[in-house]
Amino acid sequence: MEEVEKSQTVAGEASKPVPPAIDHPVKMRTRNVNVHYGEKHAIRNVSLDIGEREVTSLIGPSGCGKSTYLRCLNRMNDTIDICRVTGDLELDGENIYSDNVDVVQLRARIGMVFQKPNPFPKSIFENVAYGPRLHGLVSNRTDLDEVVKQSLRRAGLFDEVKDRMEDPGTSLSGGQQQRLCIARAIAVGPEIILMDEPCSALDPIATARIEELIDELRQNYTIVIVTHSMQQAARVSQKTAFFHLGDLIEHGDTPQVFTNPRDEKTQGYITGRFG
Amino acid sequence: MASDHIVTSYDEELTELKSKVSEMGGLAEAQLENALEAMQRRDTEIASRTIEADFRVDNLEQEIDQFVVQLLALRQPMASDLREIIVALKISSDLERIADYATNVAKRTMTLAHSPQVRPAHAIPRMARLALTMINDVLDSYADRDTQKAIAVWHRDEELDEMYTSLFRELLTYMMEDARSISSCTHLLFIAKNIERVGDHATNIAEYVYYLVEGKPLLQSRPKGGENEYERLDLPKSQA
């Protein structure tokens, strides 16, 4: 169930944080996004631009709404009955919540990678092949092979799995599984990849590989990442947005946010002073 | 400032860093004060004690360096904490230079004390007082996070520069009048230059204090005193 309303903008209220100078064209434009879980007002009037082919990180303490906001971007919140999303969310200028949007197609354009690697209980090959087949992106086995290889290469996993494509995806290490999930997301040719704490279950080496991968992927994809690690946000993103209690407190160039945040709350959070 | 981190040992470390920098500042200031006193009183005893004590400032600088590296590695500081730590590192290196200049003044005093006294160059004690006030104030501004005071120090450097320029002219005149004074006057000139450089380092520290508090550099352009710092004085025709 989904309910989309045109938000009633209260002038001034929504434009609290000063947006950073966007040097990349805006890929996703969101205005006055509000999310309610039943009675709970989880996101309040968030307006944020996501720049094309750059990494935007969403940070903030647990329960601040960053994951909820992320899940609005590809309508993952639609799957939760009591969740109500209002506001304008546009992908390339088109409202992603309008009635004629095919949610399955939308999620092909806006892929997602989750906190815990969740490969299908199938072979490595099938994990990646599933999406292109489902979406009818390939017409024959040769093309499919090519898409799978290409996706695994882009995810930096191909060399490690090329001789064991028929092994189950779950036989890989945690870091490899996460890269497999990234390959699976890439395989359907998305424009945006959403990542919800993609490294929180990984060791530092596997984390570094994912971060390196994120840096490569931003040449071709727009990436939005939710992370609990501020160091990770600092390392991988060009823009950082800080959420607190459902409000977007500050959104700026990552170097600025981490060296000279404008808001006291941001300062408190990133320096570890948050009560 | 650092009084409310969730991890209290982090607060303690930042407080310790700040107090180390203040301690080093006090030491560098005392070194300069002693060197200038030795010079004015032609006291080789004080001068040699000052020279010997320089290692304490150097040691503190190394301690601060190591502490900063440790904090960066172990705490991964952000925002104001990061500025706190970086600024401590930078201030300590300026303080080390200031103490070096003090040592220099003391060394020249050792030589000067054994030479005949030249006519008093009045500007030197005045320069010394001003430089000491600048150091004192800039260290206060660091301790109190007082940008107004820091900016005041920053502006006062102009006066010091002007004094140096006029002293330069004065000493050149003495040297032209009496060639036997050249050696002593040259030492005095270097001493004046050292004091003038101390002012520049105090100015640097003022800039760091501003950056520490405001998170952005102090960008105004500073009025430079003695605009023709490198002026020349020609010998009168009769001696040429």
Side-chain angles (χ1 to χ4, degrees):
Chain A
M1 158 184 151
E2 69 206 34
E3 185 182 342
V4 181
E5 302 167 357
K6 282 283 167 202
S7 67
Q8 277 148 25
T9 315
V10 182
E13 195 181 348
S15 54
K16 247 181 309 162
V18 187
I22 296 246
D23 24 42
H24 289 245
V26 175
K27 185 68 181 173
M28 288 197 84
R29 182 175 180 277
T30 68
R31 288 294 177 273
N32 312 315
V33 176
N34 281 276
V35 179
H36 290 83
Y37 284 114
E39 291 300 299
K40 187 175 158 35
H41 197 173
I43 297 273
R44 302 159 185 274
N45 275 320
V46 169
S47 297
L48 188 61
D49 286 339
I50 308 291
E52 187 172 32
R53 292 180 195 204
E54 63 178 353
V55 182
T56 301
S57 59
L58 312 180
I59 61 168
S62 296
C64 69
K66 56 191 189 301
S67 289
T68 301
Y69 175 79
L70 186 79
R71 293 162 61 90
C72 292
L73 297 178
N74 69 346
R75 294 182 59 172
M76 287 296 282
N77 288 326
D78 291 11
T79 58
I80 302 167
D81 276 352
I82 57 162
C83 183
R84 192 162 55 93
V85 178
T86 64
D88 296 333
L89 292 102
E90 293 173 357
L91 169 60
D92 290 335
E94 282 172 42
N95 182 358
I96 61 169
Y97 279 81
S98 80
D99 291 337
N100 56 11
V101 168
D102 176 344
V103 180
V104 176
Q105 283 302 323
L106 177 75
R107 290 185 194 139
R109 290 177 73 188
I110 309 177
M112 194 157 190
V113 176
F114 298 88
Q115 179 171 3
K116 208 165 167 289
N118 55 352
F120 303 135
K122 290 172 182 291
S123 72
I124 293 168
F125 182 90
E126 281 304 317
N127 260 281
V128 184
Y130 182 82
R133 211 184 262 140
L134 178 76
H135 288 280
L137 300 177
V138 286
S139 50
N140 56 54
R141 176 73 197 204
T142 322
D143 286 356
L144 184 62
D145 278 356
E146 198 40 53
V147 168
V148 169
K149 278 185 193 166
Q150 180 67 17
S151 305
L152 286 167
R153 256 189 220 109
R154 285 197 164 171
L157 189 61
F158 183 68
D159 288 340
E160 291 162 60
V161 300
K162 61 174 183 241
D163 301 323
R164 46 189 288 209
M165 295 287 258
E166 293 312 315
D167 288 4
T170 47
S171 68
L172 296 170
S173 73
Q176 287 172 328
Q177 286 187 25
Q178 197 60 303
R179 279 179 281 146
L180 180 63
C181 293
I182 292 173
R184 186 176 67 189
I186 291 172
V188 294
E191 295 154 53
I192 300 177
I193 304 173
L194 309 179
M195 299 183 173
D196 195 352
E197 295 182 44
C199 300
S200 59
L202 304 183
D203 73 18
I205 302 295
T207 298
R209 281 171 180 261
I210 301 282
E211 289 180 2
E212 167 66 9
L213 179 59
I214 290 172
D215 209 43
E216 285 167 22
L217 291 176
R218 80 178 159 96
Q219 309 301 323
N220 298 303
Y221 305 96
T222 299
I223 296 172
V224 186
I225 177 172
V226 163
T227 175
H228 267 304
S229 160
M230 286 172 284
Q231 277 76 22
Q232 178 166 68
R235 288 191 298 259
V236 303
S237 69
Q238 286 72 53
K239 297 284 191 295
T240 296
F242 170 63
F243 285 74
H244 182 236
L245 298 176
D247 291 313
L248 173 62
I249 304 293
E250 180 160 354
H251 176 215
D253 292 324
T254 297
Q256 174 257 313
V257 172
F258 286 103
T259 56
N260 191 17
R262 293 191 201 96
D263 195 279
E264 284 283 312
K265 290 198 195 86
T266 318
Q267 164 90 10
Y269 180 67
I270 64 175
T271 58
R273 286 179 167 91
F274 229 70
Chain B
M1 42 141 315
S3 58
D4 48 1
H5 277 98
I6 297 168
V7 180
T8 47
S9 58
Y10 189 8
D11 276 342
E12 287 158 16
E13 285 172 1
L14 287 177
T15 308
E16 189 186 341
L17 179 67
K18 192 181 164 190
S19 72
K20 268 184 200 290
V21 171
S22 292
E23 184 191 348
M24 189 180 171
L27 213 53
E29 187 184 359
Q31 283 289 94
L32 185 65
E33 201 169 356
N34 291 339
L36 294 170
E37 195 193 340
M39 176 201 67
Q40 282 165 53
R41 290 165 48 175
R42 299 167 65 87
D43 187 329
T44 55
E45 183 63 32
I46 301 177
S48 75
R49 259 194 283 129
T50 308
I51 296 165
E52 279 162 23
D54 184 50
F55 79 96
R56 292 171 58 204
V57 180
D58 292 350
N59 286 355
L60 255 178
E61 191 204 12
Q62 280 181 12
E63 256 178 60
I64 290 170
D65 282 1
Q66 282 170 14
F67 199 28
V68 163
V69 169
Q70 182 191 317
L71 280 167
L72 289 174
L74 303 187
R75 298 291 185 190
Q76 287 135 36
M78 295 280 194
S80 61
D81 297 334
L82 179 60
R83 300 202 300 271
E84 181 77 45
I85 291 167
I86 291 300
V87 161
L89 184 69
K90 301 204 77 160
I91 290 183
S92 76
S93 104
D94 277 275
L95 289 173
E96 190 274 334
R97 296 300 303 153
I98 288 172
D100 270 358
Y101 287 125
T103 307
N104 240 310
V105 171
K107 283 180 179 164
R108 292 189 189 279
T109 296
M110 300 290 276
T111 315
L112 275 176
H114 298 297
S115 324
Q117 187 151 17
V118 284
R119 240 191 298 174
H122 297 293
I124 287 194
R126 281 202 293 130
M127 281 183 78
R129 273 197 300 279
L130 179 56
L132 278 171
T133 318
M134 285 173 72
I135 298 291
N136 190 40
D137 286 358
V138 86
L139 289 172
D140 283 353
S141 80
Y142 171 72
D144 304 338
R145 310 287 131 121
D146 183 342
T147 51
Q148 288 310 311
K149 203 168 214 173
I151 291 173
V153 170
W154 193 71
H155 281 294
R156 233 176 307 152
D157 189 47
E158 189 185 0
E159 202 183 324
L160 196 59
D161 290 348
E162 279 166 2
M163 283 186 191
Y164 171 71
T165 307
S166 77
L167 186 88
F168 179 84
R169 216 174 288 134
E170 188 182 346
L171 287 171
L172 280 190
T173 317
Y174 291 166
M175 289 192 253
M176 275 186 272
E177 282 171 4
D178 180 0
R180 285 169 303 176
S181 73
I182 286 178
S183 167
S184 298
C185 283
T186 306
H187 283 302
L188 284 177
L189 197 54
F190 275 116
I191 286 175
K193 185 67 192 169
N194 286 341
I195 299 171
E196 187 270 326
R197 291 294 296 147
V198 165
D200 292 342
H201 288 285
T203 307
N204 286 348
I205 296 174
E207 285 171 6
Y208 303 145
V209 170
Y210 185 88
Y211 172 71
L212 170 62
V213 177
E214 299 293 336
K216 55 186 183 219
L218 185 55
L219 280 178
Q220 300 159 261
S221 68
R222 191 164 62 89
K224 258 297 196 187
E227 60 236 43
N228 193 2
E229 209 178 326
Y230 303 114
E231 72 181 86
R232 43 175 294 173
L233 217 62
D234 292 320
L235 281 175
K237 289 248 159 37
S238 58
Q239 290 179 38

